């Protein structure tokens, strides 16, 4: 699992760099750059922090990745988890942060 | 010519090393109950650092209606086959519910039944939405009066004089600045150690593991080097997880009721016993005897649960949800393959860590330990980490109330600064820290009971492991770093190597198999009542001295020798 940062969407706010629990992201030419792609835990903290949907996360092929990417957009209490499958189909799962896990 | 780093000296009453679950809650406790100043030194950022980065969706240590803290102590004692500190378990368990209430006050969402009581999952668990657990706690710590948070500041060594802690030293990883932090008391709350053994996915997804890969055993290493006594490093923790994503299984097993099955469709769950290590052992055995792979049978739990399961995993391990979506099959359409992880050293599931008194003070005066870095109190989980942070904080307040003397001695600090600056002189000659890390993981895997050895070892293996890890420690001395982030890598490797040495020594000195897989000693395959003892260790004059201690029976334990 790792992340991919879209340089065109990145505004260089560096919120992802600040939050990453592994300090894996660095600043390069005023943009965020993933310095250690193999060291990502997959916690998606950076994805949640990014207000510009510039960060997608994905599964490595070694753990079943098939080319889909995922990001999160947050509107108030709702987290929209957006998955773009490799064939282009989009799936969105909305999770209300006020709802508890049922299991 | 060496690089010259900046040097900041910080004075505080209380230094907390590591702003995870235990550290943040301890900071809040000190702030609410005293006017002492607190500094949290956190190598990443307290908002998402530690075990709860992605979230958690149950509180796994809670005293539900009709149960008592003593019941919890009994359960954890049986699960660890007696090698626990009951005084620590009881004092943690007595606080499980009050710390949960404190989290609810901070905004944590907890599932309630129609009567307004927390909805239980099994005998000890309640269900929550813990996606934002850590941000809520971090916010409370950041806003607490008297608390200063230093993010991206990595401490490498304790300053200890005459067995009394005086502070710690480290550096900031975003700029070239050394931090010397002088304090009246230090709480160690760095978490445990991951990345010692070759992981399940050794290639691109090498960090897709159970435990935070950024918990490198820093707190253990700092304590070992300062001569603190440590306990139970041979009680390794190996999790039974969803294969590949290494996501938690509790939500589909205990939560949705999926049974553990082998490839013949047989439920083998009760065949090997139901302690944590026996569940894992069963899965290893089924695979070894040709009945693998093993699964959690989600295909019979019903498609009405699919949507909630996909959501539940988004709130703690989003990779598992993505895996279901990648496969184009929901949980009800495909059983979830399970596997054991590589071994970790932790004090929250198993009992590895500092040997502490009941108030969580270590054998070094003024140095406390809470959460995964603190030993003797297994299965304390998140609420236990909160409880230990609180217990330590309250004792620190009562001790510092009487005043303390700050140290001014600079000799140790000067030696560390020289060490950092020497490492920062440029390119490596031959090996990098990452290459030595890979070598370490291979040694531990093959000779100290990793995944490819089915978690087994014998004493000859362990002797070889020790020899080879010692060789890597020598190579470590030649490592160089080009910037502060690489300097962090160099120190993380040192921490892991030091912890590996202790793990090997502890495994060697428990000459029995007390817990399957966790210490599967092929020279001593049975449990031996002569080892109904703690295996402890302490470094003196650069040598690890082993200590066997009798099981603590009393309600209070204080260090004497």
């Amino acid at each position: 699992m790792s992340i991919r940062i879209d340089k065109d969407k990145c505004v260089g706010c560096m919120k992802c760099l600040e939050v990453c629990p592994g300090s894996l992201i660095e600043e390069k030419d005023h943009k965020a750059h993933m310095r250690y792609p193999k060291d990502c835990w997959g916690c998606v903290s950076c994805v949640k922090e990014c207000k510009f949907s510039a960060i997608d996360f994905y599964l490595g092929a070694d753990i079943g990745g098939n080319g889909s990417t995922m990001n999160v957009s947050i509107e108030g209490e709702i987290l929209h988890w957006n998955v773009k499958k490799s064939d282009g189909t989009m799936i969105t799962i909305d999770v209300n942060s006020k709802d508890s896990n049922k299991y | 010519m060496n690089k010259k780093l900046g040097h900041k000296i910080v004075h505080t009453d209380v230094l907390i090393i590591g702003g995870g679950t235990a550290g943040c809650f301890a900071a809040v406790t000190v702030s609410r109950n005293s006017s002492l100043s607190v500094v949290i030194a956190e190598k990443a950022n307290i908002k998402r650092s530690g075990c709860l980065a992605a979230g958690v969706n149950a509180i796994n240590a809670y005293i539900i209606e009709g149960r008592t803290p003593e019941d919890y102590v009994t359960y954890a004692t049986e699960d660890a086959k007696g090698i626990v500190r009951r005084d620590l378990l009881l004092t943690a368990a007595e606080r499980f519910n009050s710390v949960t209430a404190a989290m609810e006050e901070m905004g944590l969402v907890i599932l309630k039944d129609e009567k307004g009581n927390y909805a239980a999952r099994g005998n000890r668990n309640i269900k929550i939405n813990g996606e934002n657990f850590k941000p809520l706690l971090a916010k409370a710590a950041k806003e607490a009066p008297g608390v200063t948070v230093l993010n991206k500041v990595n401490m490498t060594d304790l300053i200890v004089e005459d067995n009394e802690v005086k502070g710690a030293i480290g550096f900031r990883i975003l700029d070239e600045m050394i931090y010397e932090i002088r304090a009246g008391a230090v709480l160690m709350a760095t978490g445990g150690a991951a990345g010692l053994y070759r992981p399940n996915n050794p290639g691109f997804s090498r960090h897709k593991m159970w435990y935070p890969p950024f918990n490198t055993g820093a707190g253990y290493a700092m304590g070992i080097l300062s001569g603190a006594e440590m306990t139970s490093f041979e009680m390794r923790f190996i999790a039974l997880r969803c294969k590949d994503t290494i996501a938690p299984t509790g939500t589909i097993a205990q939560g949705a009721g999926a049974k553990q099955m082998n490839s013949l469709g047989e439920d083998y769950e009760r065949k090997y016993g139901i302690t944590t290590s026996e569940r894992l052992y069963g899965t290893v055995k089924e695979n070894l005897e040709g009945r693998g792979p093993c699964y959690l049978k989600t295909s019979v739990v019903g498609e009405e649960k699919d949507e909630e399961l996909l959501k539940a995993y988004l709130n703690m391990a989003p990779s598992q949800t993505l895996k279901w979506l990648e496969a184009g099959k929901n949980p009800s359409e495909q059983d979830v393959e399970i596997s054991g992880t590589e071994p970790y050293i932790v004090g929250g599931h198993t009992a590895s860590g500092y040997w502490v008194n009941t108030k969580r003070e270590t054998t070094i005066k003024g140095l406390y330990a809470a959460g995964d870095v603190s030993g003797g109190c297994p299965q304390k989980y998140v609420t236990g980490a909160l409880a230990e942070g609180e217990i330590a904080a309250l004792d620190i307040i009562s001790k510092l109330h009487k005043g303390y003397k700050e140290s001014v001695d600079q000799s140790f600090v000067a030696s560390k600064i020289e060490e950092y600056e020497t490492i920062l002189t440029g390119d490596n000659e031959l090996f990098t820290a990452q290459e030595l890390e890979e070598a370490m993981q291979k040694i531990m895997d093959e000779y100290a009971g990793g995944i490819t050895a089915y978690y087994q070892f014998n004493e000859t293996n362990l002797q070889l492991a020790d020899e080879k890890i010692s060789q890597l420690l020598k190579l470590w001395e030649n490592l160089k770093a080009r910037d502060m982030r690489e300097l962090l890598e160099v120190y993380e490797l040192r921490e892991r190597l030091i912890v590996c040495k202790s793990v090997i020594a502890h495994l060697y000195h428990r000459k029995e198999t007390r817990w399957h897989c966790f210490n599967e000693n092929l020279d001593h395959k049975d449990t031996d009542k002569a080892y109904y003892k703690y295996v402890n260790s302490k470094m003196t004059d650069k040598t690890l001295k082993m200590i066997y201690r009798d099981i603590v029976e009393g309600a209070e334990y204080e260090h004497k020798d």
Side-chain angles (χ1 to χ4, degrees):
Chain A
M1 154 149 300
S2 195
I3 58 152
R4 187 178 60 185
I5 304 173
D6 185 332
K7 280 201 169 40
D8 294 333
K9 287 186 187 166
C10 174
V11 299
C13 71
M14 298 305 151
K15 293 251 184 227
C16 55
L17 179 155
E18 283 166 32
V19 81
C20 175
S23 302
L24 306 177
I25 300 169
E26 65 180 357
E27 190 175 341
K28 209 175 181 180
D29 304 326
H30 308 291
K31 303 266 181 183
H33 172 251
M34 182 55 164
R35 178 169 172 177
Y36 298 96
K38 285 168 76 177
D39 289 349
C40 176
W41 190 25
C43 72
V44 304
S45 300
C46 57
V47 177
K48 290 171 187 166
E49 208 65 27
C50 184
K51 303 272 181 293
F52 306 93
S53 298
I55 310 180
D56 286 323
F57 79 110
Y58 63 97
L59 300 180
D62 58 341
I63 58 169
N66 198 21
S68 300
T69 59
M70 188 180 226
N71 68 30
V72 189
S73 45
I74 301 171
E75 270 181 301
E77 290 169 358
I78 310 293
L79 276 72
H80 305 288
W81 294 80
N82 311 304
V83 176
K84 187 180 178 190
K85 298 204 63 167
S86 50
D87 63 5
T89 24
M90 294 291 300
I91 302 168
T92 297
I93 302 176
D94 291 342
V95 179
N96 188 323
S97 57
K98 295 290 174 201
D99 288 344
S100 169
N101 160 41
K102 307 288 184 296
Y103 300 107
Chain B
M1 176 90 174
N2 285 4
K3 195 182 268 287
K4 272 279 164 245
L5 298 172
H7 183 177
K8 228 175 227 168
I9 303 174
V10 177
H11 298 271
T12 179
D13 294 318
V14 185
L15 166 63
I16 298 173
I17 304 179
T21 317
C24 283
F25 201 71
V28 171
T29 306
V30 174
S31 174
R32 285 182 182 171
N33 295 282
S34 76
S35 55
L36 296 171
S37 58
V38 179
V39 166
I40 299 177
E42 160 61 50
K43 78 168 168 179
N45 182 314
I46 66 166
K47 187 170 182 183
R48 292 277 182 183
S49 62
C51 295
L52 304 181
V56 54
N57 67 25
I59 297 257
N60 290 316
Y62 191 82
I63 310 302
I64 64 166
E65 220 179 316
R67 303 265 170 173
T68 64
E70 287 77 10
D71 293 337
Y72 200 88
V73 175
T74 305
Y75 157 71
T77 305
E78 284 171 6
D79 203 76
K81 305 267 174 74
I83 311 300
V84 298
R85 284 271 304 276
R86 296 169 69 95
D87 61 317
L88 300 178
L89 282 168
L90 185 63
T91 47
E94 283 168 347
R95 290 173 188 267
F96 286 164
N97 293 17
S98 62
V99 296
T100 302
M103 283 308 305
E104 193 175 26
E105 249 171 63
M106 290 178 199
L108 183 69
V109 173
I110 306 178
L111 188 66
K112 299 210 169 75
D113 61 20
E114 54 287 354
K115 287 188 214 150
N117 297 323
Y118 294 155
R121 179 178 101 181
N123 293 327
R124 295 169 291 274
N125 314 31
I126 55 172
K127 300 167 198 173
I128 63 172
N129 180 332
E131 187 281 321
N132 60 357
F133 193 119
K134 189 66 205 300
L136 291 169
L137 180 55
K139 185 167 178 279
K142 209 170 140 190
E143 289 171 357
V147 175
T148 306
V149 179
L150 300 176
N151 285 323
K152 307 280 180 194
V153 171
N154 178 64
M155 306 316 284
T156 66
D157 291 83
L158 290 167
I159 304 169
V160 176
E161 291 162 18
D162 298 326
N163 202 44
E164 191 172 340
V165 75
K166 297 294 180 185
I169 181 162
F171 51 85
R172 192 169 140 84
I173 59 175
L174 294 183
D175 46 40
E176 296 177 348
M177 186 64 72
I178 286 166
Y179 274 77
E180 174 187 344
I181 308 179
R182 299 278 176 176
V186 176
L187 173 66
M188 192 60 85
T190 56
L196 307 177
Y197 285 80
R198 185 194 276 150
N200 288 79
N201 312 300
F204 180 75
S205 301
R206 63 187 182 186
H207 273 184
K208 194 71 217 96
M209 53 175 63
W210 168 71
Y211 199 58
F214 319 116
N215 287 14
T216 51
Y220 295 144
M222 285 187 251
I224 292 166
L225 291 175
S226 305
E229 187 170 330
M230 296 286 168
T231 190
S232 305
F233 274 42
E234 77 286 4
M235 198 196 291
R236 305 178 300 167
F237 184 68
I238 302 160
L240 188 61
R241 301 289 273 195
C242 302
K243 190 173 175 291
D244 297 332
T245 58
I246 318 297
T249 53
T251 302
I252 39 183
Q254 290 96 318
K259 295 266 179 258
Q260 247 172 265
M261 301 274 185
N262 63 22
S263 64
L264 306 176
E266 298 162 341
D267 179 351
Y268 64 92
E269 213 166 343
R270 307 230 150 219
K271 194 167 145 191
Y272 299 92
I274 54 159
T275 65
T276 310
S277 60
E278 287 162 348
R279 281 172 189 276
L280 168 73
Y281 177 68
T283 305
V284 172
K285 286 292 268 189
E286 289 297 309
N287 275 298
L288 268 173
E289 289 170 11
R291 293 184 293 275
C294 296
Y295 298 93
L296 278 168
K297 196 121 183 107
T298 51
S299 57
V300 293
V301 300
E303 61 184 297
E304 71 283 0
K305 290 184 179 168
D306 280 341
E307 195 189 332
E308 285 302 328
L309 284 175
L310 292 177
K311 287 185 183 178
Y313 277 88
L314 287 173
N315 284 336
M316 68 173 168
S319 51
Q320 183 59 34
T321 303
L322 185 54
K323 190 162 162 90
W324 276 314
L325 298 175
E326 281 280 38
K329 286 179 180 169
N330 283 323
S332 67
E333 296 169 299
Q334 182 188 36
D335 295 326
V336 175
E337 205 177 322
I338 50 174
S339 68
T341 64
E342 75 271 24
Y344 307 91
I345 301 301
V346 293
H349 283 63
T350 42
S352 314
Y354 282 85
W355 181 249
V356 292
N357 68 11
T358 312
K359 306 286 191 203
R360 274 60 174 182
E361 190 175 13
T362 71
T363 55
I364 293 175
K365 200 173 167 220
L367 178 67
Y368 290 73
D372 267 332
V373 83
S374 195
C377 186
Q379 316 235 23
K380 65 187 162 210
Y381 306 130
V382 176
T383 37
L386 298 169
E388 290 195 327
E390 186 175 70
I391 293 166
L394 294 174
D395 200 52
I396 288 171
I397 294 168
S398 73
K399 296 269 170 63
L400 290 194
H401 194 62
K402 298 166 196 155
Y404 62 90
K405 210 172 145 233
E406 230 186 59
S407 151
V408 288
D409 185 64
Q410 283 293 314
S411 55
F412 179 71
V413 166
S415 73
K416 291 313 295 183
I417 295 174
E418 198 192 333
E419 189 178 277
Y420 301 154
E421 290 178 344
T422 309
I423 294 170
L424 278 165
T425 47
D427 291 320
N428 283 297
E429 280 180 20
L430 203 52
F431 302 121
T432 64
Q434 296 227 2
E435 286 160 6
L436 296 189
E437 178 184 300
E438 204 179 320
M440 170 193 72
Q441 291 180 345
K442 181 168 184 278
I443 294 163
M444 295 302 285
D445 181 59
E446 292 172 354
Y447 297 103
I451 294 171
T452 56
Y454 303 101
Y455 310 120
Q456 302 169 342
F457 53 84
N458 64 25
E459 291 180 355
T460 312
N461 294 150
L462 293 176
Q463 282 164 346
L464 282 165
D466 186 62
E467 205 176 286
K468 289 167 193 285
I469 295 292
S470 301
Q471 197 178 320
L472 293 183
L473 268 164
K474 284 228 161 55
L475 289 173
W476 180 87
E477 291 170 11
N478 302 325
L479 286 178
K480 295 278 180 274
R482 286 169 296 190
D483 60 21
M484 300 306 276
R485 183 59 183 73
E486 281 191 6
L487 188 63
L488 174 69
E489 271 178 61
V490 170
Y491 278 92
E492 287 181 333
L493 175 67
R494 181 187 71 154
E495 289 151 8
R496 286 183 165 126
L497 288 168
I498 290 165
V499 176
C500 283
K501 290 272 288 178
S502 287
V503 172
I504 295 164
H506 277 252
L507 288 171
Y508 189 86
H509 283 85
R510 182 172 287 286
K511 293 179 185 294
E512 62 163 354
T513 294
R514 180 150 298 251
W515 317 279
H516 277 308
C517 300
F518 293 2
N519 91 314
E520 192 84 48
N521 187 330
L522 294 174
D523 288 331
H524 308 278
K525 290 184 180 170
D526 298 311
T527 302
D528 179 349
K529 60 179 186 303
Y531 285 90
Y532 178 59
K533 282 182 187 302
Y534 309 103
V535 176
N536 287 7
S537 62
K538 187 179 170 164
M539 191 174 273
T540 22
D541 301 326
K542 296 191 175 176
T543 311
L544 213 54
K545 192 180 124 209
M546 305 308 294
I547 306 160
Y548 292 104
R549 284 192 185 274
D550 291 335
I551 298 297
V552 171
E553 304 288 353
E556 276 287 317
Y557 177 81
E558 188 52 84
H559 302 302
K560 286 190 194 83
D561 50 343

